[in-house]
Amino acid sequence: MGGARAQVNKPHKTRFASKASRHAHKIDKVRTGKPEGSHRAAVKGARAARVQRSKAIRDQKRAALLKEKRSSVGSSSAPRVVVLFGLSSSANVRSLAKDLLTIASGDEEKPTSSTVASPTYKLRTTVLEAPYGDLTSCMELAKVADLLAFVLSANSLYDCDSSSPIDDFGSQCLSVFRAMGLPSTAVFIRDLPSENKSRQESKKTAISFVSPELPEDCKFYAADTKDDLHKFMWLFKEQHLSCPHWRNQRPYVMSEEACIKPDDSSGLCTLLVSGYLRAHNLSVNQLVGVGDFQLGQIDILKDPFPINERKNSNAMDSEDSGIQIVDTFVPDPSSQEPLLVENTPDPLEGEQTWPTEAEMEEAYLNNKQRKLKRKLPRGTSEYQAAWIVDDTDDEDGDSENDNQDGAGMVIDEQDHSDNGGDGSDMDVVSHFTEKFDEETIGGTEMADDENLTKEQIEAEIKKIKEANAEDEEFPDEVETPLDVPAKRRFAKYRGLKSFRTSSWDPKESLPQDYARIFAFDNFTRTQKHVLAKMAERDEGTLKDCAQRGSFVRLHLKNVPTEIASKLVHPSRRLPVVVSGLLQHESKISVLHFSIKKHDSYEAPIKSKDSLIFNVGFRQFTARPLFSTDNINCNKHKMERFLHHGRFSVASVYAPICFPPLPLIVLKSRDGEQPAIAAVGSLKSVDPDRIILKKIVLTGYPQRVSKLKAVVRYMFHNPEDVKWFKPVELWTKHGRRGRIKETVGTHGAMKCIFNSSVQQHDTVCMSLYKRAYPKWPEQLYQI
């Protein structure tokens, strides 16, 4: 037997080893060239890199938080805006505003301005009152609020007339504020009992009533005594305020003072707006929005409300009013963004020519006269005259007979309804289609109210309501006219084999308005580039920018005097808000909004009605086209009305905006405040989004034999049956079929289906054409 050998034990169990270590003996160490400890060192180095990266991210977040805190609370920050809103008519907002300003200023005297600086709290505060009953004013003030403070009277908790301390107007405003995006919120509870126990019970009752309507982080304060308001001010100073994301995307100025400087040109002036610049730095070469205007100059003024009163030695100029100008920025004509709203179309740019309306009308009349001048035997009836063929008709008849099987409306993705058919009929397409288009939308527009009596206006409103109800019960169904051939009436429509898969060219047969708008090759990339440019401006590398937090005076040039007079009128209780526009935001394109009808609005809203759109800080008039939002398809069905309880997409011609942005839709009313009609948000900017208007022609089976049926009343002459023969039929009981042949001379047709048809079924045919929104008559209304 051999000599004794030393026992070799396993260093560890194999099941605890890694896969790489178990196969390490199979790898040639000379070939790999790695030292034995390289793997362990690499693992240790990777861990150190991860720790270092995590520490760098923490440091960046901490620095960003400190920078944000210093910019919002420090002496160089703009005053914090507190907007007081009464939840009911019993809430005394005015007295609370006076008490807050007195406490914030530290003086017993009545403050002369809505903005005060407090050396005690080292804080500047602006206190504004939201006028009760004025929805538009409340909405505009909520857009600029850093803290939206709701005022609640404890007496309303025990009011027998109402079951809730929030009345109808308060509930309506709350829904609008939520749709816009709420900033930081607080609730001031007034008129609490003086006894401590009753005071606490009343406060708890108020909190239980109001808290379900407000965010979870909403804070509640008693606001009866000076001690209560002192406590609020100390907490408010340290509070981290949040605001909607859309408001942080653009610089804006809320006016402390606004005045007009007349210009030499007639009808135009320069609007001077003074206030604190917020959110971002503002370049003098940017456009600004109150309407869209260019800046003539930006003056940096001495702060009128300093926390610590110190002499400013950098003042370079002084005016008679005592306002000191620290610095001035003048735009550079070579780099100033042009005020470009519409594209100028070139009428000769198109490759195809299309006859004008006058030429179409003349061709139609000539064709009609040519038919009337035919020589007919005496005593020939109109029915017999239809069988008499002229020499010219013989030549045409041969070609028509040759192509009889292929003639008719063409379906599928490669064909259009304009191709094929009688040329004389197509000469008058617009003459008939434009006449009937508005009828299928839900009736013609209401005429001018000045020319209508009260009974006529009520009849028109009743007609619109009936059309809305009919659209919900029988969507898309239209009647085939008796006096106009269907192939002429529906010449712009086409059939689709599949709404989802059939193709539709987005550049085909565009309207003339599309020559006036702008489009992006890649909207997402453009938005990223624009936001990067704004971040570069905030870094302070550009010399033509006013810094955030500074007190500025903006010179808006070429403002119409009528608009400027309304903005600075003494009766206007709102501050003027001037927001900086991002690049391209003055240009018109096709915007799509996700929209939902407001619960409080009962009247029907029809497509292409004139509505007021509030998008972020901007307000404009638009005539939207409503449609569905199909996720799995690039085609979307037009809706004639905006219905309750569901979201739709509203497409409008409007100035370009970069999302996210909230939408509040208002409907004007004669002699009253505009009503809130719908709420939503900006979805996209895309002129190529295809919206198809669908109509359904219906017929009824006259005789049924298993799979076959004779259908009447869908058409009224045989030519229409032949024209629409390629289009697929369907029934309301789920059958699919096609037209086989005509029957008789009154538009009856023999059809064949994939299953047996019942006598009480309804036969339908779907036709589509592309729809577009309407261009607004007046874009901006102030």
Side-chain angles (χ1 to χ4, degrees), residues 75 77 124 276 301-307 309 312 326 549 551:
S75 59
S77 64
R124 289 183 293 190
Y276 289 93
L301 306 181
K302 181 184 176 182
D303 194 343
F305 304 102
I307 296 177
E309 192 70 48
N312 191 356
V326 179
F551 192 80

Side-chain angles (χ1 to χ4, degrees), residues 475-490:
D476 310 318
E477 291 190 14
V478 298
E479 296 291 336
T480 305
L482 294 171
D483 54 343
V484 180
K487 70 175 182 179
R488 184 183 298 161
R489 164 65 185 87
F490 306 117

Side-chain angles (χ1 to χ4, degrees), residues 324-389:
Q324 293 183 341
I325 301 177
V326 179
D327 201 355
T328 300
F329 299 110
V330 180
D332 182 6
S334 61
S335 57
Q336 187 174 25
E337 189 168 348
L339 186 57
L340 186 60
V341 178
E342 297 180 17
N343 191 16
T344 304
D346 183 4
L348 301 179
E349 188 177 2
E351 297 180 355
Q352 296 180 348
T353 57
W354 189 258
T356 63
E357 297 293 332
E359 292 173 342
M360 291 181 181
E361 185 71 23
E362 184 181 358
Y364 173 70
L365 293 175
N366 292 338
N367 185 32
K368 192 174 181 180
Q369 289 176 1
R370 183 173 60 85
K371 291 183 177 180
L372 292 176
K373 289 180 181 179
R374 295 168 59 192
K375 294 182 179 180
L376 300 174
R378 183 176 297 176
T380 305
S381 65
E382 185 178 353
Y383 176 77
Q384 292 170 331
W387 294 91
I388 300 177
V389 183

Side-chain angles (χ1 to χ4, degrees), residues 16 62 118 125 171 196 223 240-241 254 269 273 298 302 367 384 449 501 530 565 570 621 666 739 741 755 759 777:
F16 295 113
R62 188 180 294 111
S118 174
T125 310
S171 299
N196 190 24
H240 173 71
L241 299 179
M254 187 184 71
C269 66
V273 178
I298 295 181
K302 181 184 176 182
N367 185 32
Q384 292 170 331
D449 292 344
T501 59
V530 168
S565 301
T621 305
L666 302 177
I739 300 173
E741 59 186 7
S755 183
Q759 188 73 42
E777 291 87 358

Side-chain angles (χ1 to χ4, degrees), residues 459-473:
E460 192 73 26
I461 294 173
K462 183 179 179 182
K463 180 180 177 183
I464 293 176
K465 289 183 177 180
E466 289 175 353
N468 182 32
E470 184 180 353
D471 181 63
E472 287 189 291
E473 187 176 0

